[in-house]
Short mmCIF file of all heavy atoms in Angstrom, two decimals:
data_model
loop_
_atom_site.label_atom_id
_atom_site.label_comp_id
_atom_site.label_asym_id
_atom_site.label_seq_id
_atom_site.Cartn_x
_atom_site.Cartn_y
_atom_site.Cartn_z
N MET A 1 22.25 60.67 -23.80
CA MET A 1 21.00 60.20 -23.15
C MET A 1 20.55 61.20 -22.06
O MET A 1 21.34 61.64 -21.29
CB MET A 1 21.29 58.82 -22.45
CG MET A 1 20.04 58.05 -22.00
SD MET A 1 20.41 56.45 -21.46
CE MET A 1 21.20 56.73 -19.90
N THR A 2 19.33 61.55 -22.06
CA THR A 2 18.76 62.49 -21.14
C THR A 2 18.51 61.71 -19.75
O THR A 2 18.12 60.50 -19.76
CB THR A 2 17.51 63.11 -21.52
OG1 THR A 2 16.59 62.06 -21.83
CG2 THR A 2 17.76 63.91 -22.76
N THR A 3 18.72 62.41 -18.72
CA THR A 3 18.50 61.74 -17.40
C THR A 3 17.12 62.19 -16.95
O THR A 3 16.85 63.41 -16.83
CB THR A 3 19.53 62.26 -16.39
OG1 THR A 3 20.86 61.98 -16.97
CG2 THR A 3 19.35 61.59 -15.05
N ARG A 4 16.33 61.24 -16.69
CA ARG A 4 15.00 61.47 -16.22
C ARG A 4 15.01 61.78 -14.72
O ARG A 4 15.79 61.15 -14.01
CB ARG A 4 14.00 60.26 -16.53
CG ARG A 4 13.77 60.10 -17.96
CD ARG A 4 12.92 58.88 -18.19
NE ARG A 4 11.59 59.16 -17.59
CZ ARG A 4 10.54 58.23 -17.58
NH1 ARG A 4 10.85 57.00 -18.07
NH2 ARG A 4 9.46 58.52 -17.04
N GLU A 5 14.23 62.62 -14.29
CA GLU A 5 14.10 62.94 -12.82
C GLU A 5 13.43 61.66 -12.21
O GLU A 5 12.44 61.16 -12.73
CB GLU A 5 13.26 64.15 -12.63
CG GLU A 5 13.45 64.61 -11.14
CD GLU A 5 13.02 66.12 -11.09
OE1 GLU A 5 13.19 66.80 -12.05
OE2 GLU A 5 12.59 66.47 -10.01
N LEU A 6 13.93 61.21 -11.05
CA LEU A 6 13.40 60.09 -10.42
C LEU A 6 12.13 60.42 -9.73
O LEU A 6 11.91 61.55 -9.23
CB LEU A 6 14.44 59.59 -9.29
CG LEU A 6 15.79 59.22 -9.84
CD1 LEU A 6 16.61 58.78 -8.64
CD2 LEU A 6 15.72 58.15 -10.83
N PRO A 7 11.18 59.53 -9.67
CA PRO A 7 9.96 59.77 -8.92
C PRO A 7 10.29 59.87 -7.44
O PRO A 7 11.36 59.39 -6.99
CB PRO A 7 9.10 58.51 -9.20
CG PRO A 7 9.98 57.46 -9.84
CD PRO A 7 11.31 58.19 -10.34
N PRO A 8 9.46 60.57 -6.71
CA PRO A 8 9.67 60.72 -5.25
C PRO A 8 9.72 59.29 -4.56
O PRO A 8 8.85 58.46 -4.82
CB PRO A 8 8.46 61.48 -4.76
CG PRO A 8 7.80 62.00 -5.90
CD PRO A 8 8.15 61.16 -7.13
N VAL A 9 10.70 59.16 -3.79
CA VAL A 9 10.85 57.79 -3.12
C VAL A 9 9.70 57.34 -2.32
O VAL A 9 9.37 56.18 -2.23
CB VAL A 9 12.18 57.76 -2.31
CG1 VAL A 9 12.08 58.67 -1.10
CG2 VAL A 9 12.52 56.35 -1.91
N SER A 10 8.97 58.31 -1.83
CA SER A 10 7.81 58.05 -0.97
C SER A 10 6.62 57.38 -1.71
O SER A 10 5.73 56.83 -1.21
CB SER A 10 7.36 59.30 -0.26
OG SER A 10 6.97 60.26 -1.17
N GLU A 11 6.71 57.49 -3.08
CA GLU A 11 5.64 57.04 -3.92
C GLU A 11 6.00 55.66 -4.52
O GLU A 11 5.21 55.07 -5.28
CB GLU A 11 5.33 58.01 -5.05
CG GLU A 11 4.68 59.23 -4.58
CD GLU A 11 4.44 60.24 -5.69
OE1 GLU A 11 4.58 59.76 -6.92
OE2 GLU A 11 4.08 61.45 -5.39
N LEU A 12 7.18 55.16 -4.13
CA LEU A 12 7.60 53.95 -4.66
C LEU A 12 7.29 52.70 -3.79
O LEU A 12 7.20 52.88 -2.59
CB LEU A 12 9.13 53.97 -5.02
CG LEU A 12 9.52 55.04 -6.02
CD1 LEU A 12 11.07 55.07 -6.19
CD2 LEU A 12 8.86 54.92 -7.37
N THR A 13 7.20 51.58 -4.39
CA THR A 13 7.04 50.30 -3.57
C THR A 13 8.39 49.95 -2.96
O THR A 13 9.39 50.45 -3.35
CB THR A 13 6.52 49.16 -4.49
OG1 THR A 13 7.54 48.83 -5.43
CG2 THR A 13 5.22 49.55 -5.23
N GLU A 14 8.32 49.06 -1.96
CA GLU A 14 9.56 48.58 -1.37
C GLU A 14 10.44 47.93 -2.43
O GLU A 14 11.72 48.14 -2.46
CB GLU A 14 9.24 47.59 -0.24
CG GLU A 14 10.49 47.15 0.46
CD GLU A 14 10.25 46.09 1.46
OE1 GLU A 14 9.04 45.70 1.66
OE2 GLU A 14 11.20 45.54 2.03
N GLN A 15 9.85 47.16 -3.38
CA GLN A 15 10.61 46.50 -4.33
C GLN A 15 11.43 47.61 -5.25
O GLN A 15 12.54 47.32 -5.68
CB GLN A 15 9.71 45.69 -5.34
CG GLN A 15 9.30 44.34 -4.71
CD GLN A 15 8.10 44.46 -3.74
OE1 GLN A 15 7.63 45.52 -3.48
NE2 GLN A 15 7.74 43.30 -3.22
N GLN A 16 10.67 48.66 -5.55
CA GLN A 16 11.34 49.70 -6.34
C GLN A 16 12.42 50.39 -5.58
O GLN A 16 13.49 50.69 -6.13
CB GLN A 16 10.26 50.72 -6.77
CG GLN A 16 9.36 50.15 -7.88
CD GLN A 16 8.14 51.12 -8.21
OE1 GLN A 16 7.49 51.57 -7.29
NE2 GLN A 16 8.00 51.49 -9.49
N GLN A 17 12.17 50.65 -4.29
CA GLN A 17 13.18 51.32 -3.48
C GLN A 17 14.45 50.51 -3.33
O GLN A 17 15.50 50.95 -3.20
CB GLN A 17 12.63 51.67 -2.07
CG GLN A 17 11.55 52.76 -2.19
CD GLN A 17 11.05 53.07 -0.77
OE1 GLN A 17 11.76 52.92 0.20
NE2 GLN A 17 9.82 53.56 -0.78
N ARG A 18 14.30 49.15 -3.39
CA ARG A 18 15.45 48.19 -3.14
C ARG A 18 16.13 47.82 -4.43
O ARG A 18 17.05 47.15 -4.51
CB ARG A 18 14.99 46.89 -2.47
CG ARG A 18 14.60 47.21 -1.03
CD ARG A 18 14.05 45.96 -0.36
NE ARG A 18 13.63 46.21 0.98
CZ ARG A 18 14.41 46.24 2.04
NH1 ARG A 18 15.71 45.90 1.86
NH2 ARG A 18 13.97 46.41 3.26
N GLY A 19 15.59 48.33 -5.59
CA GLY A 19 16.19 48.05 -6.80
C GLY A 19 15.80 46.76 -7.46
O GLY A 19 16.49 46.21 -8.34
N TRP A 20 14.72 46.14 -6.97
CA TRP A 20 14.31 44.81 -7.58
C TRP A 20 13.33 45.08 -8.71
O TRP A 20 13.29 44.26 -9.56
CB TRP A 20 13.55 43.97 -6.46
CG TRP A 20 14.41 43.65 -5.30
CD1 TRP A 20 15.82 43.57 -5.29
CD2 TRP A 20 14.03 43.37 -3.93
NE1 TRP A 20 16.25 43.20 -4.02
CE2 TRP A 20 15.22 43.07 -3.23
CE3 TRP A 20 12.78 43.32 -3.29
CZ2 TRP A 20 15.09 42.78 -1.84
CZ3 TRP A 20 12.70 43.00 -1.99
CH2 TRP A 20 13.88 42.72 -1.29
N SER A 21 12.67 46.22 -8.71
CA SER A 21 11.73 46.54 -9.74
C SER A 21 12.10 47.86 -10.38
O SER A 21 12.62 48.75 -9.70
CB SER A 21 10.34 46.51 -9.26
OG SER A 21 9.92 45.30 -8.67
N CYS A 22 11.74 48.10 -11.64
CA CYS A 22 11.96 49.27 -12.29
C CYS A 22 11.24 50.50 -11.59
O CYS A 22 10.08 50.32 -11.29
CB CYS A 22 11.55 49.20 -13.75
SG CYS A 22 11.60 50.69 -14.69
N ILE A 23 11.94 51.58 -11.44
CA ILE A 23 11.34 52.66 -10.67
C ILE A 23 10.21 53.35 -11.62
O ILE A 23 9.47 54.05 -11.07
CB ILE A 23 12.30 53.77 -10.33
CG1 ILE A 23 13.16 54.17 -11.53
CG2 ILE A 23 13.19 53.18 -9.19
CD1 ILE A 23 13.88 55.54 -11.17
N TRP A 24 10.27 53.04 -12.88
CA TRP A 24 9.23 53.72 -13.71
C TRP A 24 8.11 52.77 -14.13
O TRP A 24 6.98 53.13 -13.99
CB TRP A 24 9.88 54.39 -14.91
CG TRP A 24 10.67 55.62 -14.64
CD1 TRP A 24 10.15 56.70 -13.90
CD2 TRP A 24 12.06 55.80 -14.82
NE1 TRP A 24 11.25 57.62 -13.80
CE2 TRP A 24 12.33 57.13 -14.34
CE3 TRP A 24 13.00 55.04 -15.42
CZ2 TRP A 24 13.62 57.64 -14.36
CZ3 TRP A 24 14.34 55.60 -15.46
CH2 TRP A 24 14.62 56.87 -14.95
N CYS A 25 8.33 51.64 -14.56
CA CYS A 25 7.38 50.73 -15.08
C CYS A 25 7.07 49.61 -14.12
O CYS A 25 6.14 48.83 -14.44
CB CYS A 25 7.69 50.20 -16.47
SG CYS A 25 8.90 48.91 -16.50
N ARG A 26 7.75 49.52 -13.04
CA ARG A 26 7.50 48.42 -12.02
C ARG A 26 7.76 46.98 -12.36
O ARG A 26 7.47 46.16 -11.67
CB ARG A 26 6.08 48.59 -11.46
CG ARG A 26 5.72 49.89 -10.93
CD ARG A 26 4.30 49.92 -10.35
NE ARG A 26 3.94 51.33 -10.02
CZ ARG A 26 2.78 51.71 -9.49
NH1 ARG A 26 1.89 50.74 -9.17
NH2 ARG A 26 2.53 52.95 -9.19
N THR A 27 8.36 46.82 -13.57
CA THR A 27 8.69 45.45 -13.99
C THR A 27 9.79 44.93 -13.12
O THR A 27 10.69 45.59 -12.76
CB THR A 27 9.17 45.46 -15.47
OG1 THR A 27 8.03 45.88 -16.27
CG2 THR A 27 9.61 44.11 -15.86
N ALA A 28 9.66 43.62 -12.77
CA ALA A 28 10.77 42.95 -11.97
C ALA A 28 12.04 42.98 -12.82
O ALA A 28 11.98 42.56 -13.95
CB ALA A 28 10.29 41.58 -11.53
N LEU A 29 13.09 43.24 -12.32
CA LEU A 29 14.34 43.36 -13.09
C LEU A 29 15.20 42.07 -12.94
O LEU A 29 15.17 41.45 -11.85
CB LEU A 29 15.12 44.68 -12.59
CG LEU A 29 14.45 45.93 -12.81
CD1 LEU A 29 15.26 47.06 -12.10
CD2 LEU A 29 14.40 46.26 -14.33
N THR A 30 15.86 41.78 -13.93
CA THR A 30 16.90 40.74 -13.85
C THR A 30 18.25 41.22 -14.11
O THR A 30 18.39 42.24 -14.91
CB THR A 30 16.56 39.58 -14.90
OG1 THR A 30 16.45 40.19 -16.16
CG2 THR A 30 15.29 38.94 -14.49
N VAL A 31 19.30 40.64 -13.56
CA VAL A 31 20.62 41.17 -13.71
C VAL A 31 21.01 41.07 -15.17
O VAL A 31 20.81 40.11 -15.87
CB VAL A 31 21.62 40.21 -12.83
CG1 VAL A 31 23.09 40.62 -13.15
CG2 VAL A 31 21.24 40.40 -11.33
N GLY A 32 21.64 42.19 -15.66
CA GLY A 32 21.98 42.22 -17.04
C GLY A 32 20.95 42.94 -17.95
O GLY A 32 21.31 43.31 -19.06
N GLU A 33 19.85 43.01 -17.42
CA GLU A 33 18.70 43.80 -18.24
C GLU A 33 18.26 44.96 -17.46
O GLU A 33 17.12 45.37 -17.60
CB GLU A 33 17.62 42.74 -18.45
CG GLU A 33 17.98 41.64 -19.44
CD GLU A 33 16.85 40.75 -19.74
OE1 GLU A 33 15.67 40.99 -19.34
OE2 GLU A 33 17.14 39.70 -20.28
N ASP A 34 19.09 45.49 -16.56
CA ASP A 34 18.67 46.69 -15.84
C ASP A 34 19.79 47.72 -15.88
O ASP A 34 20.83 47.42 -16.28
CB ASP A 34 18.37 46.31 -14.38
CG ASP A 34 19.54 45.59 -13.72
OD1 ASP A 34 20.48 45.17 -14.39
OD2 ASP A 34 19.57 45.60 -12.48
N ARG A 35 19.39 48.85 -15.41
CA ARG A 35 20.38 50.07 -15.44
C ARG A 35 20.46 50.54 -14.06
O ARG A 35 19.51 50.88 -13.45
CB ARG A 35 19.74 51.03 -16.39
CG ARG A 35 20.71 52.06 -16.80
CD ARG A 35 20.31 52.61 -18.23
NE ARG A 35 18.96 53.07 -18.21
CZ ARG A 35 18.53 54.29 -17.95
NH1 ARG A 35 19.31 55.14 -17.67
NH2 ARG A 35 17.21 54.63 -18.05
N ASP A 36 21.63 50.49 -13.52
CA ASP A 36 21.88 51.04 -12.18
C ASP A 36 21.91 52.57 -12.18
O ASP A 36 22.71 53.13 -12.91
CB ASP A 36 23.24 50.50 -11.67
CG ASP A 36 23.46 50.70 -10.20
OD1 ASP A 36 22.66 51.55 -9.63
OD2 ASP A 36 24.36 50.08 -9.59
N LEU A 37 21.06 53.25 -11.44
CA LEU A 37 21.04 54.63 -11.52
C LEU A 37 21.84 55.31 -10.37
O LEU A 37 21.86 56.54 -10.19
CB LEU A 37 19.60 55.10 -11.42
CG LEU A 37 18.69 54.60 -12.52
CD1 LEU A 37 17.25 55.07 -12.29
CD2 LEU A 37 19.19 55.11 -13.88
N GLY A 38 22.51 54.45 -9.62
CA GLY A 38 23.41 54.98 -8.63
C GLY A 38 22.72 55.17 -7.22
O GLY A 38 21.51 55.22 -7.11
N GLU A 39 23.55 55.27 -6.18
CA GLU A 39 23.04 55.46 -4.85
C GLU A 39 22.38 56.73 -4.77
O GLU A 39 22.95 57.84 -5.20
CB GLU A 39 24.09 55.29 -3.88
CG GLU A 39 23.68 55.44 -2.44
CD GLU A 39 24.78 55.32 -1.36
OE1 GLU A 39 25.87 54.91 -1.73
OE2 GLU A 39 24.49 55.64 -0.21
N LYS A 40 21.17 56.89 -4.11
CA LYS A 40 20.52 58.16 -3.94
C LYS A 40 20.25 58.30 -2.41
O LYS A 40 20.08 57.34 -1.79
CB LYS A 40 19.15 58.17 -4.67
CG LYS A 40 19.28 57.98 -6.16
CD LYS A 40 20.00 59.14 -6.90
CE LYS A 40 20.18 58.79 -8.34
NZ LYS A 40 21.05 59.82 -9.04
N ARG A 41 20.20 59.50 -2.05
CA ARG A 41 19.88 59.76 -0.60
C ARG A 41 18.46 60.32 -0.53
O ARG A 41 18.03 61.22 -1.31
CB ARG A 41 20.86 60.80 0.00
CG ARG A 41 22.29 60.27 -0.02
CD ARG A 41 22.56 59.22 1.04
NE ARG A 41 22.52 59.77 2.40
CZ ARG A 41 22.57 59.03 3.44
NH1 ARG A 41 22.62 57.73 3.33
NH2 ARG A 41 22.52 59.56 4.66
N ALA A 42 17.75 59.83 0.45
CA ALA A 42 16.43 60.33 0.68
C ALA A 42 16.33 60.84 2.06
O ALA A 42 16.91 60.24 3.02
CB ALA A 42 15.37 59.17 0.41
N ARG A 43 15.62 61.87 2.26
CA ARG A 43 15.49 62.47 3.59
C ARG A 43 13.97 62.72 3.82
O ARG A 43 13.49 63.79 3.52
CB ARG A 43 16.25 63.76 3.77
CG ARG A 43 16.22 64.34 5.18
CD ARG A 43 16.99 65.65 5.29
NE ARG A 43 18.41 65.37 5.11
CZ ARG A 43 19.26 65.05 6.15
NH1 ARG A 43 18.73 64.89 7.30
NH2 ARG A 43 20.50 64.90 5.99
N PRO A 44 13.35 61.75 4.44
CA PRO A 44 11.87 61.91 4.72
C PRO A 44 11.60 63.06 5.68
O PRO A 44 12.47 63.23 6.59
CB PRO A 44 11.38 60.55 5.19
CG PRO A 44 12.69 59.81 5.60
CD PRO A 44 13.79 60.48 4.95
N GLU A 45 10.50 63.67 5.54
CA GLU A 45 10.19 64.79 6.45
C GLU A 45 10.03 64.20 7.85
O GLU A 45 9.30 63.22 8.08
CB GLU A 45 8.88 65.41 6.04
CG GLU A 45 8.89 66.92 6.19
CD GLU A 45 7.69 67.55 5.50
OE1 GLU A 45 7.57 67.31 4.26
OE2 GLU A 45 6.90 68.24 6.16
N GLY A 46 10.82 64.77 8.77
CA GLY A 46 10.75 64.33 10.14
C GLY A 46 11.42 62.93 10.45
O GLY A 46 11.38 62.39 11.52
N GLY A 47 12.14 62.43 9.42
CA GLY A 47 12.77 61.16 9.65
C GLY A 47 14.25 61.26 9.36
O GLY A 47 14.79 62.26 9.03
N ALA A 48 14.94 60.12 9.53
CA ALA A 48 16.39 60.12 9.26
C ALA A 48 16.67 59.80 7.84
O ALA A 48 15.93 59.19 7.12
CB ALA A 48 17.06 58.92 10.12
N ALA A 49 17.68 60.44 7.29
CA ALA A 49 18.11 60.20 5.90
C ALA A 49 18.61 58.82 5.70
O ALA A 49 19.17 58.16 6.66
CB ALA A 49 19.22 61.21 5.52
N TYR A 50 18.38 58.24 4.50
CA TYR A 50 18.84 56.96 4.19
C TYR A 50 19.22 56.81 2.68
O TYR A 50 18.82 57.70 1.97
CB TYR A 50 17.81 55.92 4.57
CG TYR A 50 16.50 56.01 3.86
CD1 TYR A 50 16.28 55.37 2.64
CD2 TYR A 50 15.57 56.97 4.31
CE1 TYR A 50 15.03 55.48 2.02
CE2 TYR A 50 14.33 57.08 3.64
CZ TYR A 50 14.02 56.33 2.60
OH TYR A 50 12.89 56.52 1.81
N SER A 51 19.94 55.77 2.39
CA SER A 51 20.25 55.55 0.95
C SER A 51 19.23 54.59 0.29
O SER A 51 18.77 53.76 0.94
CB SER A 51 21.76 54.97 0.91
OG SER A 51 22.63 55.74 1.42
N TRP A 52 19.03 54.85 -0.95
CA TRP A 52 18.31 53.82 -1.69
C TRP A 52 18.99 53.71 -3.12
O TRP A 52 19.78 54.51 -3.48
CB TRP A 52 16.78 54.16 -1.82
CG TRP A 52 16.46 55.41 -2.56
CD1 TRP A 52 16.77 56.73 -2.23
CD2 TRP A 52 15.72 55.56 -3.70
NE1 TRP A 52 16.25 57.59 -3.13
CE2 TRP A 52 15.56 56.90 -4.10
CE3 TRP A 52 14.96 54.62 -4.55
CZ2 TRP A 52 14.92 57.33 -5.11
CZ3 TRP A 52 14.36 55.05 -5.68
CH2 TRP A 52 14.27 56.41 -6.02
N PHE A 53 18.59 52.64 -3.77
CA PHE A 53 19.35 52.29 -4.92
C PHE A 53 18.40 52.01 -6.12
O PHE A 53 18.05 50.91 -6.37
CB PHE A 53 20.20 51.04 -4.63
CG PHE A 53 21.17 51.19 -3.57
CD1 PHE A 53 20.75 50.96 -2.30
CD2 PHE A 53 22.45 51.67 -3.77
CE1 PHE A 53 21.63 51.18 -1.20
CE2 PHE A 53 23.34 51.88 -2.75
CZ PHE A 53 22.99 51.61 -1.45
N PRO A 54 18.01 53.09 -6.71
CA PRO A 54 17.12 52.92 -7.87
C PRO A 54 17.67 52.22 -9.07
O PRO A 54 18.83 52.38 -9.44
CB PRO A 54 16.67 54.36 -8.26
CG PRO A 54 17.97 55.20 -7.83
CD PRO A 54 18.43 54.48 -6.61
N ARG A 55 16.91 51.40 -9.68
CA ARG A 55 17.31 50.67 -10.91
C ARG A 55 16.09 50.77 -11.97
O ARG A 55 14.96 50.94 -11.54
CB ARG A 55 17.65 49.22 -10.69
CG ARG A 55 18.69 49.00 -9.60
CD ARG A 55 18.97 47.57 -9.43
NE ARG A 55 19.91 47.06 -10.46
CZ ARG A 55 21.26 47.14 -10.46
NH1 ARG A 55 21.87 47.68 -9.42
NH2 ARG A 55 21.95 46.71 -11.40
N ALA A 56 16.50 50.71 -13.25
CA ALA A 56 15.48 50.75 -14.24
C ALA A 56 15.77 49.86 -15.29
O ALA A 56 16.89 49.32 -15.43
CB ALA A 56 15.49 52.23 -14.77
N CYS A 57 14.86 49.65 -16.25
CA CYS A 57 15.04 48.72 -17.41
C CYS A 57 16.16 49.35 -18.22
O CYS A 57 16.34 50.54 -18.41
CB CYS A 57 13.74 48.70 -18.26
SG CYS A 57 12.29 48.27 -17.27
N SER A 58 16.95 48.42 -18.84
CA SER A 58 17.98 48.93 -19.81
C SER A 58 17.38 49.39 -21.04
O SER A 58 17.87 50.23 -21.77
CB SER A 58 18.93 47.85 -20.01
OG SER A 58 18.38 46.68 -20.55
N ASP A 59 16.20 48.85 -21.46
CA ASP A 59 15.55 49.17 -22.69
C ASP A 59 14.54 50.37 -22.35
O ASP A 59 13.38 50.07 -21.94
CB ASP A 59 14.80 48.07 -23.21
CG ASP A 59 14.17 48.33 -24.60
OD1 ASP A 59 14.06 49.44 -24.89
OD2 ASP A 59 13.91 47.32 -25.36
N ALA A 60 15.01 51.55 -22.52
CA ALA A 60 14.25 52.71 -22.17
C ALA A 60 12.92 52.88 -22.92
O ALA A 60 11.97 53.28 -22.41
CB ALA A 60 15.10 53.98 -22.22
N ALA A 61 13.02 52.43 -24.21
CA ALA A 61 11.74 52.69 -25.04
C ALA A 61 10.80 51.67 -24.61
O ALA A 61 9.52 52.02 -24.38
CB ALA A 61 12.09 52.42 -26.47
N ALA A 62 11.09 50.43 -24.27
CA ALA A 62 10.13 49.40 -23.83
C ALA A 62 9.58 49.76 -22.39
O ALA A 62 8.44 49.64 -22.14
CB ALA A 62 10.78 48.07 -23.79
N CYS A 63 10.51 50.35 -21.65
CA CYS A 63 10.17 50.80 -20.31
C CYS A 63 9.08 51.94 -20.35
O CYS A 63 8.04 51.77 -19.70
CB CYS A 63 11.39 51.23 -19.60
SG CYS A 63 11.01 51.81 -17.91
N ALA A 64 9.28 52.86 -21.28
CA ALA A 64 8.42 54.02 -21.42
C ALA A 64 6.96 53.55 -21.93
O ALA A 64 5.96 54.02 -21.51
CB ALA A 64 8.98 55.10 -22.37
N ALA A 65 6.98 52.55 -22.81
CA ALA A 65 5.77 51.94 -23.35
C ALA A 65 5.01 51.32 -22.17
O ALA A 65 3.73 51.43 -22.12
CB ALA A 65 6.08 50.98 -24.51
N ARG A 66 5.69 50.52 -21.38
CA ARG A 66 5.01 49.79 -20.26
C ARG A 66 4.38 50.90 -19.27
O ARG A 66 3.34 50.70 -18.78
CB ARG A 66 5.97 48.86 -19.53
CG ARG A 66 6.21 47.56 -20.24
CD ARG A 66 6.94 46.60 -19.39
NE ARG A 66 8.29 46.90 -19.13
CZ ARG A 66 9.30 46.51 -19.91
NH1 ARG A 66 9.09 45.80 -20.97
NH2 ARG A 66 10.52 46.95 -19.63
N GLU A 67 5.21 51.94 -19.08
CA GLU A 67 4.78 52.91 -18.06
C GLU A 67 3.58 53.64 -18.63
O GLU A 67 2.59 53.86 -17.83
CB GLU A 67 5.96 53.92 -17.84
CG GLU A 67 5.61 54.98 -16.83
CD GLU A 67 6.74 55.99 -16.70
OE1 GLU A 67 7.58 56.09 -17.64
OE2 GLU A 67 6.74 56.70 -15.65
N ALA A 68 3.53 53.92 -19.93
CA ALA A 68 2.42 54.61 -20.52
C ALA A 68 1.13 53.69 -20.40
O ALA A 68 0.05 54.17 -20.13
CB ALA A 68 2.68 54.96 -21.94
N GLU A 69 1.30 52.46 -20.60
CA GLU A 69 0.18 51.45 -20.45
C GLU A 69 -0.43 51.52 -19.10
O GLU A 69 -1.64 51.43 -18.95
CB GLU A 69 0.71 50.10 -20.76
CG GLU A 69 0.12 49.44 -21.99
CD GLU A 69 0.93 48.09 -22.29
OE1 GLU A 69 0.93 47.31 -21.38
OE2 GLU A 69 1.45 47.99 -23.40
N GLN A 70 0.42 51.57 -18.13
CA GLN A 70 -0.04 51.57 -16.66
C GLN A 70 -0.78 52.97 -16.27
O GLN A 70 -1.50 52.86 -15.35
CB GLN A 70 1.15 51.35 -15.70
CG GLN A 70 1.63 49.94 -15.85
CD GLN A 70 2.97 49.74 -15.07
OE1 GLN A 70 3.41 50.63 -14.33
NE2 GLN A 70 3.60 48.69 -15.35
N ALA A 71 -0.44 53.96 -16.98
CA ALA A 71 -0.97 55.23 -16.68
C ALA A 71 -2.44 55.34 -17.22
O ALA A 71 -3.14 56.35 -16.91
CB ALA A 71 -0.15 56.41 -17.24
N LEU A 72 -2.88 54.52 -18.08
CA LEU A 72 -4.16 54.53 -18.67
C LEU A 72 -5.26 54.28 -17.59
O LEU A 72 -5.01 53.48 -16.73
CB LEU A 72 -4.34 53.56 -19.80
CG LEU A 72 -3.42 53.88 -21.04
CD1 LEU A 72 -3.64 52.75 -22.03
CD2 LEU A 72 -3.81 55.26 -21.57
ZN1 ZN B 1 11.04 49.99 -16.71
#
C-alpha cells in the first residue's frame, strides 16, 4: 500500500485534525471503519509545535471517490 502524503494541517478542519473526520474526504469516521495514520507533529510558523492524530477511511477506493466528487 502506498502512503499518501498528508494534506497540510493548516488546511484541515478541527474535526479532521482531531481524527473525527477523514483527512481526505471529510467523512465523519466511526470506530472500526477508519484507519489510524499515527501521531503527527505540526509546527505552525511562529507557533508552538503540537501533536495531531490524522485518521482516514479504511476503504481507500471509496474515500478517493468521495474526495474526487468534492473537488468538482
Ligand atoms: Zn475518506
Side-chain angles (χ1 to χ4, degrees):
M1 191 172 75
T2 56
T3 305
R4 294 180 63 185
E5 195 161 329
L6 302 180
V9 66
S10 58
E11 292 178 10
L12 299 177
T13 65
E14 185 186 353
Q15 282 83 358
Q16 288 173 306
Q17 292 182 26
R18 291 176 181 275
W20 297 336
S21 301
C22 173
I23 56 163
W24 288 303
C25 72
R26 300 183 189 183
T27 297
L29 297 168
T30 52
V31 174
E33 292 179 9
D34 60 343
R35 198 151 52 90
D36 190 347
L37 301 175
E39 178 180 354
K40 304 290 175 191
R41 297 288 288 173
R43 185 181 289 276
E45 221 167 301
Y50 60 96
S51 298
W52 67 293
F53 301 88
R55 302 183 80 87
C57 307
S58 56
D59 188 340
C63 179
R66 280 192 292 269
E67 186 184 15
E69 247 170 55
Q70 290 168 13
L72 294 177

